[in-house]
Amino acid sequence: MQELKRLMAMKLGPLNWYRVKGLLHREGCRREHHEWDHRDNADYREAVLELANVVKAAFPVRVEATKLNDCLQEKGESVRAHYYRLYELFNRHSGMPEPNVRGADPSLLECHLSSWFTRGLRDDIMRGMKAGLVGWKDTRLADLLTYAMHVEEQLEEAKEAEAKRAAEAEKQIFTKDRLAAAKREKARAKSDIELQLALFTNDSCLGSCPTDC
């Protein structure tokens, strides 16, 4: 236990260590066996748990709502990636412990996490959710995530279809322009041939006629 205390004193620094050292009451407790779960380590395990609880109570998680407010779905970021990034920030900065068991009704943590999740979604995805998911405000987080990914997939499919239509339209315009250009070129060539024939005929006529013709 003394070694743990020395490590904590180095990690926390003098001021923070002073806040907790007076709350530790198992001075002589030590690890008796190399296997953590061995029964000889029962007192030591209890002492370590007590130490962890003292530290948690002395240094509670700071709530930093700004970091959660700033967690918006980025351009090119998938719904799933956005959720995992938010989930990590939420656990770190919300100050709310995650329940060991999720019941039939949403916990306070789930309600807050759902709110931050929908708030940070892209506008087009959120519009799709509001349009297609009746009662989305009361929907469980897992279902919100599933439906958001469904909307994202639909938007991607629509985007790909639109790009395909645009490419096809551009191809048709290009083909039409080429046909029109070929037609103009053909007409120009025909005019040139007719002009050359006319000039040739005129020259032939001039060459075959008498001088006084």
Side-chain angles (χ1 to χ4, degrees), residues 129-201:
M129 287 187 63
K130 290 180 178 179
L133 187 60
V134 178
W136 63 271
K137 290 184 178 180
D138 300 321
T139 302
R140 297 296 297 266
L141 179 58
D143 295 329
L144 282 175
L145 177 59
T146 300
Y147 197 82
M149 290 190 294
H150 171 66
V151 172
E152 179 183 44
E153 184 178 354
Q154 287 184 319
L155 290 172
E156 288 297 325
E157 290 176 354
K159 184 178 179 180
E160 291 176 2
E162 180 61 29
K164 186 176 181 180
R165 285 194 296 269
E168 186 63 29
E170 185 177 355
K171 181 180 178 181
Q172 291 178 359
I173 292 173
F174 178 73
T175 302
K176 187 182 295 185
D177 289 344
R178 288 191 63 183
L179 290 174
K183 187 175 181 180
R184 289 194 299 270
E185 187 65 27
K186 184 177 180 180
R188 188 181 301 112
K190 183 178 180 181
S191 298
D192 290 344
I193 292 173
E194 290 176 348
L195 178 60
Q196 290 175 7
L197 287 174
L199 291 174
F200 177 77
T201 302

Side-chain angles (χ1 to χ4, degrees), residues 20 23-24 46-59:
V20 298
L23 303 175
L24 306 177
E46 187 176 345
V48 171
L49 179 60
E50 180 183 307
L51 176 62
N53 290 334
V54 166
V55 172
K56 288 179 181 178
F59 306 103

Side-chain angles (χ1 to χ4, degrees), residues 197-207:
L197 287 174
L199 291 174
F200 177 77
T201 302
N202 189 40
D203 290 343
S204 298
C205 179
L206 291 174

Side-chain angles (χ1 to χ4, degrees), residues 104-115:
D105 296 323
S107 63
L108 181 62
L109 179 144
E110 183 178 343
C111 291
H112 282 286
L113 185 55
S114 296
S115 177

